[in-house]
Amino acid sequence: MAPRTTPRPVGTVTRGTTNPNRLRRQDRWIAAVHGPALRRSAGPPVAVDLGYGAAPWTAVELLARLRTADPRTLLYGIEIEPARVAAARPYEREGLAFRHGGFEVPVPGEVSLIRAANVLRQYDEDQVAAVWERLCGRLAPGGLLVEGTCDEIGRRHVWVALDRTGPRTVTFATRLGSLDRPSDLAERLPKALIHRNVPGEPVHAFLRDFDRAWAAAAPFASLGARQRWIRTARDLAADWPLTDGPRRWRQGELTVRWEALAPRA
């Protein structure tokens, strides 16, 4: 009898760069925005940190933050590089496990959350749609895929949130004290958008208007960067379909509907 073989994971090995607390802004947003859906799950909600990198910090931290929303949450860290899985295994505990795999997401059943941070940035733009479709196909009803990019120490993030029907929103998040102007976030656009930041594309127009609103809100800087950001968001909302409000803006976040920024065909 031929030996049984394990299917090859879908995807390619990426750099695996990671740092503790790098994804804290994304974690907090997920727990706040997706927390109600987690709590509605009939059983313990299952989350996946896909491509957590050379060390397991982001998976450990994501579980802790999701459990502030639902203490039942179970989390799998998935990595395509076997050595990274072996290095993470000592961190396993109740509710946290690490597995070798890729975009096939080798966990049982449908999942409530897949987070893929700084993974697709290292792929080609024309590969993104197929990966999104594959990952969204693993989501439970009401599930969420969060895919995006951040800098090395987590000061600047941009991510796309998708459900089983496709992309829904784009969130810009930053440490406000480090921000010169909102378009500084352009270098952290997810792969689906980063090459579209050119004249004639919606994301370019959005970042242009974001900078203009930020400049117009300069008088609020005397009250602090947070108040300036909130005023900027209020002005931007007059022309762009923002989905959040002051509670999230105060965190240095701003979320806009995907269809307003989607690349032109």
Side-chain angles (χ1 to χ4, degrees):
M1 180 182 291
R4 184 177 180 179
T5 60
T6 302
R8 181 178 178 179
V10 178
T12 58
V13 177
T14 56
R15 289 190 297 271
T17 305
T18 189
N19 279 305
N21 244 359
R22 186 183 187 188
L23 301 180
R24 60 194 179 279
R25 300 180 194 282
Q26 195 177 85
D27 290 352
R28 289 195 297 257
W29 182 88
I30 292 170
V33 173
H34 196 48
L38 297 178
R39 291 189 290 272
R40 287 194 296 270
S41 176
V46 175
V48 170
D49 190 13
L50 181 62
Y52 57 83
W57 319 134
T58 62
V60 173
E61 293 163 356
L62 179 59
L63 177 62
R65 289 166 181 146
L66 290 179
R67 284 190 163 180
T68 66
D70 190 330
R72 304 174 301 160
T73 303
L74 310 176
L75 189 136
Y76 292 92
I78 306 296
E79 248 300 334
I80 200 167
E81 172 53 64
R84 297 173 186 170
V85 180
R89 285 266 159 79
Y91 294 87
E92 290 188 335
R93 55 184 172 83
E94 183 274 323
L96 177 62
F98 295 93
R99 290 192 174 179
H100 179 222
F103 296 135
E104 76 283 5
V105 188
V107 302
E110 297 175 322
V111 299
S112 298
L113 170 73
I114 300 173
R115 192 268 297 285
N118 303 302
V119 174
L120 290 185
R121 185 174 181 85
Q122 300 173 55
Y123 284 72
D124 293 332
E125 181 184 359
D126 60 8
Q127 297 176 285
V128 171
V131 172
W132 278 0
E133 183 177 8
R134 186 177 194 122
L135 294 178
C136 288
R138 294 302 320 277
L139 295 175
L144 192 71
L145 165 63
V146 178
E147 187 272 309
T149 304
C150 71
D151 67 358
E152 289 74 12
I153 58 174
R155 294 172 304 171
R156 296 172 184 171
H157 294 242
V158 187
W159 61 79
V160 182
L162 306 91
D163 62 18
R164 297 208 299 184
T165 67
R168 311 303 299 168
T169 62
V170 183
T171 298
F172 298 79
T174 187
R175 180 180 180 273
L176 292 173
S178 71
L179 191 70
D180 181 32
R181 56 184 181 177
S183 62
D184 291 345
L185 289 160
E187 64 184 16
R188 299 301 164 184
L189 287 167
K191 196 68 178 190
L193 295 174
I194 194 166
H195 300 302
R196 303 305 183 118
N197 185 26
V198 294
E201 287 283 350
V203 71
H204 183 270
F206 175 77
L207 289 170
R208 176 202 63 205
D209 289 356
F210 207 166
D211 278 352
R212 288 175 177 173
W214 179 254
F220 289 82
S222 62
L223 303 175
R226 177 177 293 174
Q227 292 304 316
R228 185 179 183 183
W229 180 270
I230 291 171
R231 179 64 187 192
T232 298
R234 290 189 187 280
D235 290 348
L236 200 59
D239 298 307
W240 293 90
L242 306 189
T243 66
D244 49 7
R247 179 173 294 182
R248 301 313 310 170
W249 298 341
R250 288 178 60 83
Q251 305 299 319
E253 300 169 6
L254 186 145
T255 299
V256 62
R257 292 192 183 280
W258 165 259
E259 57 266 26
L261 304 188
R264 296 190 184 281

